[in-house]
């Protein structure tokens, strides 16, 4: 199949016209086009609530990729409006429509994303090509996208409050077919803290429908056991829970409290080094030169700062989020 004057990528990602000897089939995933030579292209639907078929998330193979071989549903090329709904890429990988030999083409890089450079950066994380308007491509393409990060791969996303760090971490995993979201904060109780419960509900509502949330502070165990993709949000609330269990917040902490915290940090670092998952972890930049007024605040600042350094030293990527923008740290 040749995507030439018959199949051109135009503004807003429209495709057409289709020759009479090509088969066009509407599917739940979008419009599938098959050429006489067997080439298969899918123009993916991007509307809300599209849920391609496939097993539930908990039934997917526990590997770096949910599907590693071709299936009867797999196509040669998928065109996705990645500005409107990039998680469609993850849905299609989950369902087997996108396999390891499928080329993903991301279109829709307009005013919805602040710059072409940012659109290209995101597409790289999703393993997608970004053609310019009017580009002629072949199906399968002659140029393939760079492989997306996959496990074992570690990324640390740091930043201050409301910096966009959680949004950036989620964005990085939208194209993954299986994601475990490790929530380390306190379990929300709408009766005692409705504001916190509302915050958590908003967080959950913006995640793709097939992501699975695990409320846990046992991060070392999770990193040792999981494959596929894992999002940890965040190391700051994890450290808070560890210090709470040890009694280190108290004015006169019990004997061995600091040793307990140090041991938990070392266990986490060892699991982080040896994990076989594609992990993206969120953390907080605390202090920024301000000395906390309390002993417990200073202990937390010092330990979290060191934890961030140690995790960053064991990571393939570290990025800083500030004002909704992201800077790679080398």
């Amino acid at each position: 199949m040749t995507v030439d004057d018959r199949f051109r990528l135009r503004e807003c990602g429209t495709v057409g016209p289709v020759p009479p000897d090509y088969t066009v089939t509407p599917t739940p995933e979008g419009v599938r086009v098959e050429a006489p030579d067997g080439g298969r292209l899918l123009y993916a639907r991007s509307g809300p609530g599209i849920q391609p078929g496939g097993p539930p998330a908990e039934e997917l193979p526990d590997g770096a990729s949910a599907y590693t071989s071709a299936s009867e549903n797999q196509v040669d090329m998928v065109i996705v409006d990645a500005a409107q709904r990039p998680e469609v890429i993850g849905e299609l990988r989950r369902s087997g429509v996108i396999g390891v030999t499928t080329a993903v083409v991301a279109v829709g890089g307009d005013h919805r994303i602040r710059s072409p450079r940012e659109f290209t950066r995101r597409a790289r994380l999703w393993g997608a090509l970004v053609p310019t308007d009017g580009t002629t491509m072949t199906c399968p393409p002659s140029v393939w996208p760079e492989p997306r990060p996959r496990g074992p791969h570690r990324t640390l996303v740091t930043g201050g409050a409301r910096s966009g760090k959680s949004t950036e971490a989620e964005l990085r995993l939208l194209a993954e077919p299986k994601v475990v979201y490790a929530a380390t904060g306190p379990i929300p109780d709408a009766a005692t803290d409705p504001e916190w419960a509302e915050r958590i509900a908003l967080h959950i509502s913006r995640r793709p429908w097939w992501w699975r949330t695990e409320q846990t502070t046992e991060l070392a165990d999770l990193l040792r056991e999981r494959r596929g993709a894992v999002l940890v949000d965040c190391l700051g609330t994890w450290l808070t829970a560890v210090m709470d269990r040890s009694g280190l917040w108290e004015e006169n902490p019990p004997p061995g409290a600091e040793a307990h915290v140090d041991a938990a940090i070392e266990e986490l670092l060892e699991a982080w080094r040896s994990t076989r998952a594609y992990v993206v972890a969120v953390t907080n930049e605390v202090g920024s030169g301000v000395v906390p007024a309390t002993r417990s605040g200073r202990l937390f600042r010092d330990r979290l700062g060191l934890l961030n350094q140690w995790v960053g030293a064991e990571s393939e990527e570290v990025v800083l989020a500030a004002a909704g923008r992201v800077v790679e740290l080398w």
Side-chain angles (χ1 to χ4, degrees):
M1 181 187 296
T2 301
V3 188
D4 48 21
D5 55 349
R6 296 169 294 177
F7 288 96
R8 286 188 181 275
L9 304 181
R10 299 174 178 173
E11 187 177 1
C12 299
T14 58
V15 180
V18 179
D21 56 341
Y22 281 49
T23 303
V24 179
T25 307
T27 72
E29 296 88 3
V31 178
R32 184 186 292 255
V33 182
E34 186 166 351
D37 62 6
R40 293 188 290 183
L41 177 147
L42 176 74
Y43 182 61
R45 298 177 62 181
S46 57
I50 302 300
Q51 298 187 5
E58 61 271 13
E59 296 178 11
L60 290 176
D62 195 12
S65 176
Y67 292 89
T68 56
S69 61
S71 72
E72 61 180 13
N73 293 323
Q74 184 177 316
V75 298
D76 298 303
M77 180 185 289
V78 171
I79 301 174
V80 178
D81 184 343
Q84 180 172 342
R85 201 163 168 267
E87 61 267 32
V88 166
I89 302 173
E91 293 175 348
L92 295 175
R93 282 198 172 108
R94 176 183 176 277
S95 66
V97 173
I98 295 177
V100 293
T101 61
T102 301
V104 180
V105 178
V107 297
D110 49 28
H111 62 277
R112 292 171 292 181
I113 294 180
R114 60 179 173 265
S115 70
R117 181 178 178 182
E118 172 62 12
F119 189 62
T120 301
R121 181 187 79 88
R122 297 183 185 188
R124 178 182 60 82
L125 296 172
W126 303 327
L129 287 165
V130 180
T132 56
D133 288 346
T135 298
T136 298
M137 302 184 68
T138 60
C139 177
S142 57
V143 178
W144 291 83
E146 295 181 10
R148 71 190 193 281
R150 298 170 69 181
H153 189 94
R154 292 148 288 259
T155 300
L156 181 66
V157 182
T158 186
R162 291 296 184 215
S163 61
K165 57 187 183 296
S166 291
T167 300
E168 169 65 18
E170 293 168 8
L171 179 148
R172 286 171 170 261
L173 297 180
L174 289 179
E176 298 305 309
K178 179 179 181 181
V179 178
V180 173
Y181 190 107
T184 60
I187 298 175
D189 186 340
T192 59
D193 194 343
E195 190 271 341
W196 176 253
E198 183 178 358
R199 282 173 178 254
I200 297 301
L202 288 173
H203 252 271
I204 293 174
S205 67
R206 76 187 187 197
R207 299 171 200 161
W209 58 271
W210 72 97
W211 287 20
R212 183 159 61 86
T213 299
E214 289 193 19
Q215 193 82 34
T216 182
T217 56
E218 303 300 326
L219 291 185
D221 290 342
L222 187 144
L223 292 175
R224 283 190 289 259
E225 296 169 359
R226 299 300 176 192
R227 305 293 185 269
V230 176
L231 195 157
V232 178
D233 196 354
C234 71
L235 296 183
T237 51
W238 173 82
L239 181 60
T240 299
V242 171
M243 291 178 64
D244 187 52
R245 287 199 300 264
S246 70
L248 200 56
W249 293 116
E250 301 173 15
E251 190 64 31
N252 296 302
E258 292 197 41
H260 178 272
V261 173
D262 292 341
I265 290 175
E266 183 55 41
E267 183 184 21
L268 174 62
L269 290 172
E270 180 57 36
W272 182 265
R273 293 185 196 103
S274 60
T275 185
R276 296 178 63 188
Y278 171 23
V279 187
V280 178
V282 177
T283 193
N284 302 288
E285 284 298 314
V286 294
S288 296
V290 177
V291 179
T294 64
R295 169 191 165 278
S296 60
R298 292 188 290 271
L299 283 173
F300 178 78
R301 178 201 61 176
D302 293 347
R303 273 180 165 71
L304 183 58
L306 289 171
L307 175 62
N308 290 346
Q309 291 187 52
W310 294 333
V311 171
E314 303 286 350
S315 301
E316 282 78 12
E317 294 180 274
V318 180
V319 298
L320 172 67
R325 301 296 180 97
V326 177
V327 179
E328 292 191 39
L329 303 180
W330 301 97

